[in-house]
Amino acid sequence: MGTDTAQARATDEAAERRREQRGWYFYDWACSVYSTSVLTVFLGPYLTSVAKSAADADGYVHPLGIPVRAGSFFAYSVSLSVIVAVVVMPLVGAAADRTGRKKPLLAVTAYVGAAATAGMFFLDGDRYLLGGVLLMVANAAQAVSMMLYNSYLPQIAPPEERDAVSSRGWAFGYAAGALVLIANLVLFLAHDSFGVSESTAVRICLASAGLWWGAFTLVPLKRLRDRRPSVEKITAPGPRRLAATVRDMRRHPLTLSFLLAYLIYNDGIQTVISQASVYGSEELGLSQSTLIVAVLLVQVLAVGGALGMGRLARTYGARRTILGSLVAWTITLGAGYFLPAGAPFWFFVLASGIGLVLGGSQALSRSLFSHLVPPGKEAEYFSAYEMSDRGMSWLGPLLFGLTYQLTGSYRDAIISLVAFFVLGFVLLARVPVRQAVRDAGNPVPERI
């Protein structure tokens, strides 16, 4: 009788865990549309055009009386949003772990970001300053919400399931990005048929990402559940908790070693994503429609790439699979250096290579890091992880820009990014992940 009761309880727990995991996937489905349609495709060119329409005769706008080139306004807004996120994330992470109430914080950050994105519908005329504020709010809110979302992973998936669960989350996100981008492109390219101007079509695309984000956030908010913290966490105030986390991370040098490796190779990944369109348009002379189709191709293939690399991790372990993906990134960039100008087919081949390794390398990095987080400190440690992602993302663009400035060649600039993948490979290969998992106080999976 006792055995039957234990089996029934285990079955119920597994069913509840699967239900919670499915709800968790849907936050990637909800917010990834912002990254794809808003940040990657539409907002940069549109906000720049709005800023230019508000510029003076010398091409400057003057937010808060500060002279800023209209063409730089979008980039500066993104940079300011990163600063805001880096300041807010550890404070929210400390509060989440101290109180155990991640879900209300996830709801607040998600809906602040979704509302700011939906508000981008009103970016007409010369309202560049409104656009900058909405971008900073939306970008920072997404960063904080993703930190909270990532911190659920160690709680909803046992060690043997995390690679697969993380990979499915990334796949959901890329699938949503591709689906909405297709709808956006139909509206954008055929805006006359829908009786709207090109500007209005862009604003509808921007706002629809916010509505999508807000609507589908209801699913994880319904299915995810909060865990009660220990009494120690309840009584510890936020600043003391945050200081304790910093000291605690110093006591886990192998976790920090992984973070350093991730910081470096992920900076390379983020720079490829942000600069590939510049390389395609400026060096290869490709049209805007070709670049948008390439973005869509990356989104579609990243779904299969994330799931496929998740399966590889079951056989070879997450660390080896990530190392293999860094080799693939290096080969892809090397091939990109030799792409002929004016040949969309070969650019699509390059986009295919990026798509196949993009989702998997990010998903497995997230799941691997989840094993290195001491129990009960998920949100605070994932705030450091997210800051490694966003807080240092200036290194790659800086190297890209300096290389172009010194050589005058975007080909030299794109090949310079190989350094991030080579150095990241070397640093990750030196991390004894099994020892790192043990040092963090977690069970060591059979394959990692």
Side-chain angles (χ1 to χ4, degrees):
M1 192 71 167
T3 302
D4 292 342
T5 301
Q7 289 177 342
R9 186 182 300 112
T11 301
D12 290 344
E13 289 175 355
E16 175 60 26
R17 187 170 70 247
R18 296 284 186 271
R19 182 177 185 276
E20 200 169 4
Q21 288 171 1
R22 287 192 291 270
W24 185 79
Y25 300 149
F26 266 92
Y27 191 67
D28 237 326
W29 175 273
C31 76
S32 292
V33 169
Y34 167 81
S35 299
T36 304
S37 289
V38 177
L39 273 187
T40 304
V41 177
F42 289 110
L43 184 58
Y46 182 72
L47 184 56
T48 300
S49 70
V50 171
K52 287 182 176 179
S53 70
D56 58 21
D58 296 321
Y60 285 85
V61 291
H62 300 269
L64 304 179
I66 303 170
V68 173
R69 281 196 180 275
S72 300
F73 183 74
F74 173 74
Y76 289 150
S77 299
V78 173
S79 297
L80 285 174
S81 75
V82 170
I83 294 171
V84 172
V86 166
V87 170
V88 172
M89 273 192 289
L91 300 177
V92 174
D97 285 334
R98 188 179 74 251
T99 64
R101 294 179 58 79
K102 293 180 187 177
K103 192 158 68 167
L105 293 170
L106 177 62
V108 169
T109 54
Y111 282 106
V112 166
T117 305
M120 292 176 185
F121 178 78
F122 300 102
L123 300 184
D124 57 350
D126 58 358
R127 296 176 177 173
Y128 76 94
L129 194 55
L130 174 64
V133 171
L134 292 176
L135 169 58
M136 285 187 284
V137 171
N139 220 34
Q142 192 206 30
V144 178
S145 71
M146 283 301 295
M147 174 269 293
L148 294 165
Y149 164 76
N150 288 337
S151 71
Y152 271 101
L153 181 58
Q155 298 178 334
I156 66 173
E160 66 275 9
E161 293 182 5
R162 283 185 206 163
D163 291 342
V165 170
S166 183
S167 297
R168 290 189 199 113
W170 277 103
F172 263 62
Y174 282 116
L179 180 65
V180 174
L181 186 55
I182 290 172
N184 289 163
L185 290 179
V186 170
L187 174 62
F188 178 72
L189 296 175
H191 59 87
D192 288 335
S193 301
F194 290 98
V196 297
S197 66
E198 182 177 294
S199 171
T200 302
V202 171
R203 291 189 290 116
I204 292 172
C205 292
L206 295 172
S208 67
L211 296 177
W212 178 283
W213 186 355
F216 283 104
T217 294
L218 292 172
V219 179
L221 293 181
K222 182 177 178 60
R223 294 196 172 187
L224 291 172
R225 60 185 179 86
D226 286 330
R227 273 77 174 168
R228 290 180 61 84
S230 66
V231 175
E232 177 187 358
K233 290 194 190 72
I234 293 175
T235 57
R240 280 178 50 198
R241 184 66 185 156
L242 183 57
T245 300
V246 173
R247 290 195 301 271
D248 195 72
M249 292 190 75
R250 292 172 61 186
R251 292 199 297 267
H252 294 86
L254 296 181
T255 299
L256 287 176
S257 295
F258 172 82
L259 268 180
L260 177 61
Y262 172 75
L263 180 153
I264 291 172
Y265 69 72
N266 189 62
D267 203 281
I269 292 173
Q270 298 302 321
T271 306
V272 171
I273 294 171
S274 65
Q275 301 301 323
S277 60
V278 175
Y279 182 64
S281 61
E282 299 297 326
E283 184 70 32
L284 305 182
L286 302 177
S287 66
Q288 182 67 30
S289 60
T290 297
L291 299 176
I292 293 176
V293 171
V295 171
L296 181 58
L297 184 61
V298 168
Q299 294 292 310
V300 172
L301 290 178
V303 176
L307 296 175
M309 287 180 63
R311 293 191 181 97
L312 285 175
R314 295 179 199 169
T315 303
Y316 300 104
R319 177 172 167 273
R320 288 184 180 179
T321 307
I322 295 170
L323 290 172
S325 76
L326 298 181
V327 174
W329 274 105
T330 301
I331 294 172
T332 300
L333 286 182
Y337 178 84
F338 296 102
L339 286 185
F345 172 79
W346 292 111
F347 191 73
F348 292 150
V349 171
L350 179 70
S352 300
I354 291 173
L356 289 174
V357 294
L358 174 61
S361 54
Q362 293 176 316
L364 293 178
S365 296
R366 176 172 64 185
S367 63
L368 180 55
F369 182 70
S370 72
H371 294 286
L372 310 182
V373 176
K377 301 175 182 178
E378 293 84 7
E380 291 176 64
Y381 270 61
F382 268 105
S383 71
Y385 180 86
E386 194 72 14
M387 282 192 286
S388 296
D389 185 352
R390 297 170 187 273
M392 296 296 289
S393 60
W394 56 272
L395 287 173
L398 177 63
L399 178 61
F400 187 92
L402 286 175
T403 304
Y404 176 73
Q405 181 172 329
L406 293 173
T407 68
S409 169
Y410 282 107
R411 294 184 187 274
D412 292 338
I414 202 75
I415 202 68
S416 71
L417 301 179
V418 166
F420 288 90
F421 298 102
V422 172
L423 183 55
F425 180 98
V426 171
L427 292 176
L428 179 57
R430 291 166 58 89
V431 178
V433 292
R434 289 185 173 276
Q435 184 62 46
V437 174
R438 281 192 290 268
D439 289 352
N442 294 316
V444 181
E446 182 180 348
R447 293 194 181 278
I448 192 169

